[in-house]
Amino acid sequence: MGARGAILVAVAASIGNFIQGWDNATISGAIVYIKTELALQTSEEGLVVAMSLIGATLITTCSGAVSDWLGRRPLLIISSVFYFLSGLVMLWSPNVYVLCIARLLDGFGIGLAVTLAPIYISETAPPDIRGSLNTLPQFTGSAGMFLSYCMIFGMSLEASPSWRLMLGILFVPSLLYFLIAIFFLPESPRWLVSKGKMLQAKKVLQKLRGREDVSEEMALLVEGLGIGSETSIEEYLIGSAADQEPSEKDYKVLLYGSEGAGLSWVAKPVVASGHSSIKPASRLGSIIGNQSMHLMDPLVTLFDSIHEKIPETGSMRSVLFPHSGSMFSSTVENHHHAKNEQFDEENIEREGDQDYYPSDAVDGVSDDDLRSPLISARGSSMFNNLRSGRDGEAGIGGGWQLAWKWSEKEGGLKRVYFAGLVSQPALYSKQTVGPAMVHPSEVASKGSIWKDLTEPGVKHALIVGIGIQVLQQLAGINGVLYYTPQILQEAGVEILLKGIGISSKSTSFLLSAITTLLMLPCIALSMRLIDISGRRQLLLATIPVLIVSLVLLVVGNAIKFNSIVHALISTISVVVYFCCFKMAYGPIPNILCSEIFPTRVRGVCIAICALVFWIGNIIVTYTLPVMLSSIGLAGVFGIYAVGCFISWIFVFLKVPETKGMPLEVITEFFAVGARVRRAASAKNL
């Protein structure tokens, strides 16, 4: 399987989240014994729990910029070191002050792992399974919680359980994480390309994809370095060159198959035929008029229109290319001198790699020819796979293709992203010379990163990313996770297991373990659906279930039921809440944030979103004990239900569907959506 390498790497990168889940469950159980032994006040109890969140917040403030500078892999290694050190210190902890320092170190490890894992997985995964692989951290985190609760339950049956051992055993999985990160994890190919390390990036991609020819994806990665080019959308009907009508000559764009294949195709702009079905972008005035009728973000409609045009497939690959030759030209335009530069900063000779960055000049360039710099037909797997009928690794993933159109009239090379071959949309960049035409390191170092944050598409993405992270915290999941045993204990769950002869504390730990166990099949189902039904649809379908479960919790605690009914309602509602949350609202915010930002500022932008996440996490976690003592369970879950309702509205109006799309294509669409939004705002003034 071509994606085997990416799957293994994603599993390895998710170990940091396994440790985070382990720690979350461990502290929720250990705090019951810590507050008794150390005689903690309510505020001190909240501080011990929240100290790791403070550490995560502090480290997140610089993690994005540092990861863009040093790389993703080094910070994953550093996170394992922080985990290891914190485990040793917690195992020793003579008093609350040392314990708080250990929890701070633990937070440093959590902050790096939680921030970097989604970036790393998104940058190494193929588009068609990126959502599934990025759900792995949620799965491993819940698996860590389950195993930790099992350990705590077993220790709670002892006469005097050791909370130091509960917390300190963290150093064992941390050591395993360190060894795997050192000896197995490669660097992100997108980060390598951004630094001009093209040969290293190529070798990593070959291992991740399980094939030698990765030239098309390499070209995509280089093109993704640019920010701020003006982009529009066109729609084409693709057919054989022999089938074109003479009257259509003025409207055609020629597409060339692989060298020697004897195939050529004609791409006719749908605008010319009057059959366009893309709602936005191809008719800017229409979209402005439509969007002014309601509050939905034009970007949401734009993404929906594209997904309506792309057929749903099981593998998300190759079905879009059932009969055709390559959409890429077998020739290469040598119009720009910068193309012949050595790309690798190590100055390595590239004699044996000429098929990778060809520089053959071609005479007789047509005004409408599609050109494909950095892509060679020699040894290309695309056409060979299509001819043999195999599941091809064609294009740049998810059915998308990258090419360049040469136009004398418009002043040079134009980047084009195609989504399929029959009446499919195409992103059309008006940038005269794309990043693939120059040295990648020059593109990466051009201009200020902070200036790039002010680009309309990036600002639009930040609004979506920050908004969904804030609202996720308003749903209250992290506070509930940390205090699950206490919440179940207050609900009187010991009544449900009264006959087995264990204490209420042990009962709450056992039910917590069962709850986290039930999460695992729900997350597995989410991994199956997230690249089929999509991120947006999963959120819209599961958030109402969260609201209902929270309302039931409010009712169960506000109305006087007998003890068994009360415990039953509380337990079922908490289990349903956890399972549905872990299916969608748990993993999807991080997945979205790892997908919607350009490569050049991805680390910084995700760090900003993560910082908002951790600040919200601290507030929720630190205030939950106080809220429980003042307004009770009914009041707490009522507030969380309102947060979920606001979340659903935000997702419906503002969050687009990104399934199956290459990261670079997603960021281009955000640029288009931001431009449409500005135009709509200007018209409404």
Side-chain angles (χ1 to χ4, degrees):
M1 181 179 177
R4 181 186 176 192
I7 294 172
L8 293 176
V9 163
V11 171
S14 300
I15 295 177
N17 295 79
F18 172 89
I19 299 174
Q20 183 215 9
W22 177 284
D23 178 75
N24 286 351
T26 303
I27 190 61
S28 69
I31 195 67
V32 176
Y33 303 101
I34 293 172
K35 69 177 182 179
T36 301
E37 180 178 328
L38 301 181
L40 300 181
Q41 300 296 321
T42 301
S43 58
E44 293 173 327
E45 175 190 349
L47 182 61
V48 169
V49 175
M51 205 65 193
S52 63
L53 307 181
I54 295 172
T57 304
L58 292 176
I59 201 74
T60 298
T61 57
C62 61
S63 63
V66 174
S67 72
D68 286 338
W69 172 43
L70 291 179
R72 321 309 191 198
R73 179 176 176 268
L75 292 196
L76 290 174
I77 294 173
I78 293 172
S79 74
S80 68
V81 174
F82 279 129
Y83 276 138
F84 181 77
L85 292 176
S86 68
L88 292 180
V89 177
M90 284 189 288
L91 187 62
W92 168 58
S93 295
N95 52 53
V96 69
Y97 304 107
V98 175
L99 177 60
C100 285
I101 293 174
R103 297 290 299 161
L104 185 69
L105 292 174
D106 181 53
F108 290 160
I110 290 174
L112 291 178
V114 171
T115 303
L116 271 298
I119 302 177
Y120 183 82
I121 294 174
S122 286
E123 291 185 344
T124 55
D128 50 351
I129 59 172
R130 185 178 61 239
S132 297
L133 295 187
N134 239 330
T135 310
L136 273 173
Q138 195 77 20
F139 186 87
T140 57
S142 295
M145 291 177 63
F146 168 68
L147 294 177
S148 179
Y149 274 127
C150 289
M151 177 196 71
I152 295 170
F153 170 71
M155 295 180 70
S156 71
L157 300 178
E158 300 175 359
S160 55
S162 171
W163 60 263
R164 291 178 178 85
L165 184 59
M166 289 181 187
L167 296 175
I169 203 170
L170 182 76
F171 81 89
V172 176
S174 302
L175 181 60
L176 176 64
Y177 181 34
F178 174 78
L179 295 175
I180 290 177
I182 285 285
F183 296 108
F184 183 73
L185 289 184
E187 184 52 85
S188 160
R190 282 178 167 84
W191 183 85
L192 290 171
V193 167
S194 73
K195 300 302 178 183
K197 300 180 180 181
M198 303 295 286
L199 284 180
Q200 292 183 37
K202 177 188 176 184
K203 291 176 182 177
V204 171
L205 268 182
Q206 287 173 333
K207 291 180 180 179
L208 292 175
R209 302 296 181 256
R211 65 180 190 271
E212 289 297 315
D213 185 4
V214 292
S215 55
E216 297 143 37
E217 192 167 355
M218 285 294 297
L220 170 72
L221 268 53
V222 176
E223 283 292 337
L225 297 178
I227 297 177
S229 61
E230 188 175 347
T231 305
S232 60
I233 295 180
E234 297 176 355
E235 189 174 12
Y236 294 90
L237 290 169
I238 311 299
S240 170
D243 297 333
Q244 63 174 307
E245 299 178 8
S247 60
E248 297 174 344
K249 182 177 181 181
D250 293 337
Y251 301 110
K252 69 178 183 179
V253 176
L254 295 181
L255 310 179
Y256 291 90
S258 298
E259 185 176 0
L263 296 175
S264 62
W265 302 82
V266 172
K268 183 177 66 174
V270 175
V271 174
S273 64
H275 298 296
S276 178
S277 57
I278 300 180
K279 297 174 185 177
S282 60
R283 295 188 300 276
L284 187 59
S286 175
I287 190 172
I288 293 173
N290 291 337
Q291 295 304 322
S292 63
M293 301 291 291
H294 46 77
L295 298 176
M296 183 174 287
D297 194 320
L299 186 69
V300 175
T301 305
L302 174 60
F303 273 80
D304 287 346
S305 295
I306 298 304
H307 287 294
E308 287 174 5
K309 298 292 296 177
I310 301 176
E312 296 290 343
T313 67
S315 66
M316 301 297 290
R317 287 184 291 185
S318 75
V319 179
L320 294 175
F321 307 93
H323 310 299
S324 65
S326 169
M327 290 193 65
F328 291 103
S329 169
S330 62
T331 57
V332 180
E333 175 57 43
N334 193 30
H335 191 72
H336 299 280
H337 71 281
K339 194 178 153 191
N340 291 322
E341 289 189 52
Q342 290 289 340
F343 271 23
D344 291 87
E345 59 187 26
E346 297 93 338
N347 229 7
I348 299 175
E349 284 294 315
R350 306 288 304 282
E351 302 299 332
D353 208 28
Q354 292 303 314
D355 63 321
Y356 193 50
Y357 300 116
S359 58
D360 308 308
V362 178
D363 297 327
V365 178
S366 167
D367 184 47
D368 291 317
D369 283 350
L370 268 174
R371 299 303 177 196
S372 173
L374 306 185
I375 300 176
S376 169
R378 294 193 294 275
S380 173
S381 64
M382 178 192 298
F383 183 72
N384 294 333
N385 284 340
L386 290 169
R387 293 195 68 182
S388 64
R390 294 195 302 269
D391 240 12
E393 303 290 343
I396 57 178
W400 287 82
Q401 297 278 0
L402 168 64
W404 287 264
K405 171 186 175 183
W406 172 255
S407 174
E408 293 283 359
K409 297 176 182 177
E410 297 176 1
L413 288 162
K414 311 295 183 183
R415 179 172 65 244
V416 181
Y417 290 115
F418 286 93
L421 284 184
V422 182
S423 184
Q424 296 296 341
L427 275 174
Y428 177 78
S429 176
K430 295 184 179 178
Q431 188 175 14
T432 301
V433 181
M437 301 301 113
V438 298
H439 195 298
S441 61
E442 290 181 7
V443 177
S445 61
K446 182 180 177 181
S448 167
I449 288 181
W450 302 109
K451 183 180 179 180
D452 290 336
L453 295 179
T454 64
E455 287 291 335
V458 177
K459 288 195 296 183
H460 200 164
L462 277 172
I463 292 172
V464 174
I466 291 174
I468 198 167
Q469 293 287 5
V470 169
L471 292 170
Q472 185 199 51
Q473 293 308 304
L474 285 180
I477 182 64
N478 288 292
V480 177
L481 281 175
Y482 285 122
Y483 293 99
T484 295
Q486 288 179 247
I487 291 172
L488 293 178
Q489 192 173 343
E490 280 194 31
V493 293
E494 70 273 6
I495 297 174
L496 298 179
L497 299 175
K498 188 176 181 180
I500 64 177
I502 60 177
S503 66
S504 61
K505 290 180 182 178
S506 297
T507 300
S508 64
F509 295 149
L510 178 59
L511 286 175
S512 296
I514 295 173
T515 300
T516 52
L517 178 62
L518 293 175
M519 292 179 190
L520 297 180
C522 295
I523 300 172
L525 178 62
S526 173
M527 293 174 67
R528 177 69 181 93
L529 295 177
I530 197 165
D531 287 314
I532 299 176
S533 62
R535 293 84 160 121
R536 173 180 165 84
Q537 291 304 318
L538 272 181
L539 286 173
L540 293 176
T542 56
I543 290 177
V545 181
L546 297 180
I547 297 173
V548 171
S549 64
L550 290 169
V551 170
L552 287 176
L553 276 170
V554 172
V555 171
N557 286 274
I559 299 177
K560 297 293 183 180
F561 293 106
N562 66 57
S563 55
I564 295 179
V565 174
H566 178 214
L568 195 61
I569 291 176
S570 296
T571 303
I572 293 175
S573 298
V574 167
V575 170
V576 171
Y577 172 82
F578 277 151
C579 291
C580 285
F581 195 98
K582 290 290 184 176
M583 277 190 66
Y585 216 177
I588 289 177
N590 283 341
I591 294 175
L592 281 171
C593 288
S594 68
E595 294 176 329
I596 60 180
F597 301 113
T599 299
R600 177 168 157 77
V601 294
R602 184 171 293 124
V604 172
C605 290
I606 291 182
I608 293 172
C609 295
L611 182 62
V612 172
F613 167 85
W614 288 117
I615 292 174
N617 199 329
I618 290 173
I619 294 172
V620 169
T621 304
Y622 195 76
T623 58
L624 183 57
V626 179
M627 292 171 64
L628 283 174
S629 61
S630 58
I631 61 176
L633 278 174
V636 169
F637 287 115
I639 293 174
Y640 294 162
V642 173
C644 287
F645 178 73
I646 298 173
S647 296
W648 192 91
I649 294 174
F650 180 82
V651 171
F652 181 76
L653 296 178
K654 298 293 183 182
V655 177
E657 181 54 69
T658 58
K659 66 174 180 179
M661 301 174 71
L663 299 181
E664 290 72 15
V665 176
I666 293 172
T667 58
E668 292 273 12
F669 271 101
F670 266 88
V672 174
R675 184 163 56 86
V676 171
R677 190 177 182 181
R678 287 202 317 271
S681 299
K683 182 174 181 180
N684 292 331
L685 291 178

